[in-house]
PDB file of all heavy atoms in Angstrom:
ATOM      1  N   SER A   1       2.417-151.806 120.633  1.00  0.00           N
ATOM      2  CA  SER A   1       0.962-151.619 120.676  1.00  0.00           C
ATOM      3  C   SER A   1       0.547-150.538 121.662  1.00  0.00           C
ATOM      4  O   SER A   1      -0.641-150.224 121.767  1.00  0.00           O
ATOM      5  CB  SER A   1       0.278-152.935 121.044  1.00  0.00           C
ATOM      6  OG  SER A   1       0.657-153.353 122.345  1.00  0.00           O
ATOM      7  N   GLY A   2       1.515-149.981 122.392  1.00  0.00           N
ATOM      8  CA  GLY A   2       1.217-148.919 123.342  1.00  0.00           C
ATOM      9  C   GLY A   2       1.002-149.385 124.764  1.00  0.00           C
ATOM     10  O   GLY A   2       0.706-148.575 125.639  1.00  0.00           O
ATOM     11  N   ARG A   3       1.162-150.679 125.017  1.00  0.00           N
ATOM     12  CA  ARG A   3       0.961-151.203 126.368  1.00  0.00           C
ATOM     13  C   ARG A   3       2.113-150.795 127.271  1.00  0.00           C
ATOM     14  O   ARG A   3       3.267-151.047 126.968  1.00  0.00           O
ATOM     15  CB  ARG A   3       0.840-152.715 126.333  1.00  0.00           C
ATOM     16  CG  ARG A   3       0.718-153.338 127.722  1.00  0.00           C
ATOM     17  CD  ARG A   3       0.471-154.818 127.665  1.00  0.00           C
ATOM     18  NE  ARG A   3       0.303-155.371 129.009  1.00  0.00           N
ATOM     19  CZ  ARG A   3      -0.075-156.612 129.257  1.00  0.00           C
ATOM     20  NH1 ARG A   3      -0.318-157.438 128.253  1.00  0.00           N
ATOM     21  NH2 ARG A   3      -0.213-157.043 130.493  1.00  0.00           N
ATOM     22  N   GLU A   4       1.786-150.181 128.406  1.00  0.00           N
ATOM     23  CA  GLU A   4       2.816-149.775 129.356  1.00  0.00           C
ATOM     24  C   GLU A   4       3.282-150.980 130.165  1.00  0.00           C
ATOM     25  O   GLU A   4       2.482-151.823 130.580  1.00  0.00           O
ATOM     26  CB  GLU A   4       2.269-148.705 130.292  1.00  0.00           C
ATOM     27  CG  GLU A   4       3.296-148.175 131.283  1.00  0.00           C
ATOM     28  CD  GLU A   4       2.738-147.090 132.180  1.00  0.00           C
ATOM     29  OE1 GLU A   4       1.559-146.726 131.996  1.00  0.00           O
ATOM     30  OE2 GLU A   4       3.477-146.618 133.056  1.00  0.00           O
ATOM     31  N   VAL A   5       4.592-151.076 130.364  1.00  0.00           N
ATOM     32  CA  VAL A   5       5.179-152.179 131.121  1.00  0.00           C
ATOM     33  C   VAL A   5       6.059-151.583 132.213  1.00  0.00           C
ATOM     34  O   VAL A   5       7.023-150.882 131.924  1.00  0.00           O
ATOM     35  CB  VAL A   5       6.022-153.108 130.217  1.00  0.00           C
ATOM     36  CG1 VAL A   5       6.633-154.238 131.033  1.00  0.00           C
ATOM     37  CG2 VAL A   5       5.180-153.669 129.080  1.00  0.00           C
ATOM     38  N   THR A   6       5.743-151.880 133.450  1.00  0.00           N
ATOM     39  CA  THR A   6       6.598-151.450 134.549  1.00  0.00           C
ATOM     40  C   THR A   6       7.685-152.497 134.777  1.00  0.00           C
ATOM     41  O   THR A   6       7.474-153.684 134.499  1.00  0.00           O
ATOM     42  CB  THR A   6       5.786-151.273 135.840  1.00  0.00           C
ATOM     43  OG1 THR A   6       5.263-152.546 136.249  1.00  0.00           O
ATOM     44  CG2 THR A   6       4.622-150.298 135.622  1.00  0.00           C
ATOM     45  N   PRO A   7       8.843-152.103 135.284  1.00  0.00           N
ATOM     46  CA  PRO A   7       9.886-153.092 135.564  1.00  0.00           C
ATOM     47  C   PRO A   7       9.418-154.193 136.509  1.00  0.00           C
ATOM     48  O   PRO A   7       9.767-155.367 136.327  1.00  0.00           O
ATOM     49  CB  PRO A   7      11.006-152.251 136.180  1.00  0.00           C
ATOM     50  CG  PRO A   7      10.803-150.876 135.613  1.00  0.00           C
ATOM     51  CD  PRO A   7       9.325-150.722 135.497  1.00  0.00           C
ATOM     52  N   ALA A   8       8.608-153.824 137.508  1.00  0.00           N
ATOM     53  CA  ALA A   8       8.138-154.823 138.467  1.00  0.00           C
ATOM     54  C   ALA A   8       7.228-155.848 137.802  1.00  0.00           C
ATOM     55  O   ALA A   8       7.347-157.059 138.049  1.00  0.00           O
ATOM     56  CB  ALA A   8       7.409-154.138 139.620  1.00  0.00           C
ATOM     57  N   TRP A   9       6.325-155.383 136.942  1.00  0.00           N
ATOM     58  CA  TRP A   9       5.423-156.335 136.296  1.00  0.00           C
ATOM     59  C   TRP A   9       6.130-157.119 135.200  1.00  0.00           C
ATOM     60  O   TRP A   9       5.735-158.259 134.884  1.00  0.00           O
ATOM     61  CB  TRP A   9       4.191-155.640 135.736  1.00  0.00           C
ATOM     62  CG  TRP A   9       3.239-156.621 135.120  1.00  0.00           C
ATOM     63  CD1 TRP A   9       2.833-156.685 133.828  1.00  0.00           C
ATOM     64  CD2 TRP A   9       2.586-157.711 135.794  1.00  0.00           C
ATOM     65  NE1 TRP A   9       1.972-157.735 133.641  1.00  0.00           N
ATOM     66  CE2 TRP A   9       1.805-158.388 134.837  1.00  0.00           C
ATOM     67  CE3 TRP A   9       2.601-158.181 137.109  1.00  0.00           C
ATOM     68  CZ2 TRP A   9       1.034-159.508 135.161  1.00  0.00           C
ATOM     69  CZ3 TRP A   9       1.840-159.302 137.416  1.00  0.00           C
ATOM     70  CH2 TRP A   9       1.081-159.946 136.447  1.00  0.00           C
ATOM     71  N   ALA A  10       7.165-156.561 134.603  1.00  0.00           N
ATOM     72  CA  ALA A  10       7.945-157.312 133.626  1.00  0.00           C
ATOM     73  C   ALA A  10       8.466-158.603 134.236  1.00  0.00           C
ATOM     74  O   ALA A  10       8.493-159.663 133.591  1.00  0.00           O
ATOM     75  CB  ALA A  10       9.108-156.459 133.108  1.00  0.00           C
ATOM     76  N   VAL A  11       8.865-158.530 135.515  1.00  0.00           N
ATOM     77  CA  VAL A  11       9.327-159.719 136.237  1.00  0.00           C
ATOM     78  C   VAL A  11       8.157-160.491 136.828  1.00  0.00           C
ATOM     79  O   VAL A  11       8.082-161.720 136.730  1.00  0.00           O
ATOM     80  CB  VAL A  11      10.316-159.318 137.350  1.00  0.00           C
ATOM     81  CG1 VAL A  11      10.665-160.520 138.222  1.00  0.00           C
ATOM     82  CG2 VAL A  11      11.567-158.713 136.745  1.00  0.00           C
ATOM     83  N   GLY A  12       7.211-159.782 137.446  1.00  0.00           N
ATOM     84  CA  GLY A  12       6.099-160.433 138.118  1.00  0.00           C
ATOM     85  C   GLY A  12       5.264-161.297 137.189  1.00  0.00           C
ATOM     86  O   GLY A  12       4.819-162.389 137.573  1.00  0.00           O
ATOM     87  N   GLY A  13       5.054-160.838 135.966  1.00  0.00           N
ATOM     88  CA  GLY A  13       4.267-161.622 135.018  1.00  0.00           C
ATOM     89  C   GLY A  13       4.900-162.949 134.669  1.00  0.00           C
ATOM     90  O   GLY A  13       4.202-163.906 134.311  1.00  0.00           O
ATOM     91  N   LEU A  14       6.217-163.028 134.767  1.00  0.00           N
ATOM     92  CA  LEU A  14       6.916-164.276 134.468  1.00  0.00           C
ATOM     93  C   LEU A  14       6.750-165.308 135.581  1.00  0.00           C
ATOM     94  O   LEU A  14       7.057-166.485 135.385  1.00  0.00           O
ATOM     95  CB  LEU A  14       8.410-163.996 134.255  1.00  0.00           C
ATOM     96  CG  LEU A  14       8.760-163.110 133.061  1.00  0.00           C
ATOM     97  CD1 LEU A  14      10.253-162.783 133.072  1.00  0.00           C
ATOM     98  CD2 LEU A  14       8.384-163.785 131.751  1.00  0.00           C
ATOM     99  N   LEU A  15       6.270-164.890 136.744  1.00  0.00           N
ATOM    100  CA  LEU A  15       6.125-165.789 137.887  1.00  0.00           C
ATOM    101  C   LEU A  15       4.701-166.298 138.061  1.00  0.00           C
ATOM    102  O   LEU A  15       4.431-167.096 138.961  1.00  0.00           O
ATOM    103  CB  LEU A  15       6.572-165.074 139.163  1.00  0.00           C
ATOM    104  CG  LEU A  15       7.996-164.502 139.148  1.00  0.00           C
ATOM    105  CD1 LEU A  15       8.300-163.785 140.459  1.00  0.00           C
ATOM    106  CD2 LEU A  15       9.023-165.589 138.882  1.00  0.00           C
ATOM    107  N   VAL A  16       3.774-165.841 137.220  1.00  0.00           N
ATOM    108  CA  VAL A  16       2.378-166.258 137.313  1.00  0.00           C
ATOM    109  C   VAL A  16       2.168-167.508 136.457  1.00  0.00           C
ATOM    110  O   VAL A  16       2.386-167.464 135.241  1.00  0.00           O
ATOM    111  CB  VAL A  16       1.429-165.141 136.839  1.00  0.00           C
ATOM    112  CG1 VAL A  16      -0.028-165.593 136.940  1.00  0.00           C
ATOM    113  CG2 VAL A  16       1.663-163.877 137.654  1.00  0.00           C
ATOM    114  N   PRO A  17       1.777-168.630 137.048  1.00  0.00           N
ATOM    115  CA  PRO A  17       1.581-169.860 136.266  1.00  0.00           C
ATOM    116  C   PRO A  17       0.581-169.664 135.128  1.00  0.00           C
ATOM    117  O   PRO A  17      -0.407-168.948 135.268  1.00  0.00           O
ATOM    118  CB  PRO A  17       1.052-170.859 137.313  1.00  0.00           C
ATOM    119  CG  PRO A  17       1.540-170.329 138.629  1.00  0.00           C
ATOM    120  CD  PRO A  17       1.531-168.841 138.488  1.00  0.00           C
ATOM    121  N   LEU A  18       0.860-170.306 134.007  1.00  0.00           N
ATOM    122  CA  LEU A  18       0.056-170.270 132.789  1.00  0.00           C
ATOM    123  C   LEU A  18       0.129-168.906 132.096  1.00  0.00           C
ATOM    124  O   LEU A  18       0.395-168.821 130.899  1.00  0.00           O
ATOM    125  CB  LEU A  18      -1.403-170.653 133.073  1.00  0.00           C
ATOM    126  CG  LEU A  18      -1.619-172.079 133.613  1.00  0.00           C
ATOM    127  CD1 LEU A  18      -3.100-172.358 133.813  1.00  0.00           C
ATOM    128  CD2 LEU A  18      -1.013-173.114 132.680  1.00  0.00           C
ATOM    129  N   TYR A  19      -0.128-167.846 132.848  1.00  0.00           N
ATOM    130  CA  TYR A  19      -0.018-166.509 132.249  1.00  0.00           C
ATOM    131  C   TYR A  19       1.392-166.267 131.724  1.00  0.00           C
ATOM    132  O   TYR A  19       1.578-165.568 130.727  1.00  0.00           O
ATOM    133  CB  TYR A  19      -0.392-165.442 133.267  1.00  0.00           C
ATOM    134  CG  TYR A  19      -0.274-164.027 132.754  1.00  0.00           C
ATOM    135  CD1 TYR A  19      -1.283-163.466 131.974  1.00  0.00           C
ATOM    136  CD2 TYR A  19       0.844-163.252 133.050  1.00  0.00           C
ATOM    137  CE1 TYR A  19      -1.176-162.166 131.501  1.00  0.00           C
ATOM    138  CE2 TYR A  19       0.960-161.956 132.587  1.00  0.00           C
ATOM    139  CZ  TYR A  19      -0.052-161.417 131.817  1.00  0.00           C
ATOM    140  OH  TYR A  19       0.067-160.132 131.344  1.00  0.00           O
ATOM    141  N   ASN A  20       2.380-166.855 132.413  1.00  0.00           N
ATOM    142  CA  ASN A  20       3.762-166.622 131.997  1.00  0.00           C
ATOM    143  C   ASN A  20       4.063-167.213 130.625  1.00  0.00           C
ATOM    144  O   ASN A  20       5.029-166.811 129.971  1.00  0.00           O
ATOM    145  CB  ASN A  20       4.747-167.145 133.031  1.00  0.00           C
ATOM    146  CG  ASN A  20       4.550-168.622 133.332  1.00  0.00           C
ATOM    147  OD1 ASN A  20       3.774-169.307 132.685  1.00  0.00           O
ATOM    148  ND2 ASN A  20       5.250-169.103 134.350  1.00  0.00           N
ATOM    149  N   LEU A  21       3.242-168.177 130.159  1.00  0.00           N
ATOM    150  CA  LEU A  21       3.436-168.724 128.812  1.00  0.00           C
ATOM    151  C   LEU A  21       3.179-167.658 127.753  1.00  0.00           C
ATOM    152  O   LEU A  21       3.802-167.667 126.681  1.00  0.00           O
ATOM    153  CB  LEU A  21       2.500-169.921 128.590  1.00  0.00           C
ATOM    154  CG  LEU A  21       2.682-171.099 129.560  1.00  0.00           C
ATOM    155  CD1 LEU A  21       1.679-172.190 129.238  1.00  0.00           C
ATOM    156  CD2 LEU A  21       4.114-171.631 129.494  1.00  0.00           C
ATOM    157  N   TYR A  22       2.251-166.759 128.058  1.00  0.00           N
ATOM    158  CA  TYR A  22       2.002-165.609 127.168  1.00  0.00           C
ATOM    159  C   TYR A  22       2.984-164.482 127.453  1.00  0.00           C
ATOM    160  O   TYR A  22       3.544-163.874 126.529  1.00  0.00           O
ATOM    161  CB  TYR A  22       0.572-165.112 127.361  1.00  0.00           C
ATOM    162  CG  TYR A  22       0.392-163.643 127.052  1.00  0.00           C
ATOM    163  CD1 TYR A  22       0.340-163.183 125.737  1.00  0.00           C
ATOM    164  CD2 TYR A  22       0.307-162.695 128.085  1.00  0.00           C
ATOM    165  CE1 TYR A  22       0.191-161.826 125.460  1.00  0.00           C
ATOM    166  CE2 TYR A  22       0.166-161.352 127.820  1.00  0.00           C
ATOM    167  CZ  TYR A  22       0.111-160.918 126.500  1.00  0.00           C
ATOM    168  OH  TYR A  22      -0.024-159.580 126.228  1.00  0.00           O
ATOM    169  N   TRP A  23       3.225-164.226 128.739  1.00  0.00           N
ATOM    170  CA  TRP A  23       3.999-163.044 129.109  1.00  0.00           C
ATOM    171  C   TRP A  23       5.456-163.136 128.682  1.00  0.00           C
ATOM    172  O   TRP A  23       6.103-162.129 128.442  1.00  0.00           O
ATOM    173  CB  TRP A  23       3.889-162.808 130.605  1.00  0.00           C
ATOM    174  CG  TRP A  23       4.497-161.513 131.053  1.00  0.00           C
ATOM    175  CD1 TRP A  23       5.531-161.340 131.899  1.00  0.00           C
ATOM    176  CD2 TRP A  23       4.096-160.199 130.654  1.00  0.00           C
ATOM    177  NE1 TRP A  23       5.814-160.010 132.074  1.00  0.00           N
ATOM    178  CE2 TRP A  23       4.951-159.286 131.309  1.00  0.00           C
ATOM    179  CE3 TRP A  23       3.118-159.720 129.802  1.00  0.00           C
ATOM    180  CZ2 TRP A  23       4.835-157.913 131.145  1.00  0.00           C
ATOM    181  CZ3 TRP A  23       3.009-158.343 129.630  1.00  0.00           C
ATOM    182  CH2 TRP A  23       3.855-157.470 130.296  1.00  0.00           C
ATOM    183  N   ILE A  24       5.977-164.352 128.589  1.00  0.00           N
ATOM    184  CA  ILE A  24       7.378-164.482 128.192  1.00  0.00           C
ATOM    185  C   ILE A  24       7.581-163.917 126.786  1.00  0.00           C
ATOM    186  O   ILE A  24       8.604-163.301 126.484  1.00  0.00           O
ATOM    187  CB  ILE A  24       7.836-165.958 128.270  1.00  0.00           C
ATOM    188  CG1 ILE A  24       9.355-166.040 128.117  1.00  0.00           C
ATOM    189  CG2 ILE A  24       7.144-166.822 127.225  1.00  0.00           C
ATOM    190  CD1 ILE A  24       9.889-167.444 128.349  1.00  0.00           C
TER     191      ILE A  24
END
């Protein structure tokens, strides 16, 4: 879809409660 993903946020998003259910 064109969304940029940084390596740091690829990991960081997995550590955010609830949001990680989408981010995984």
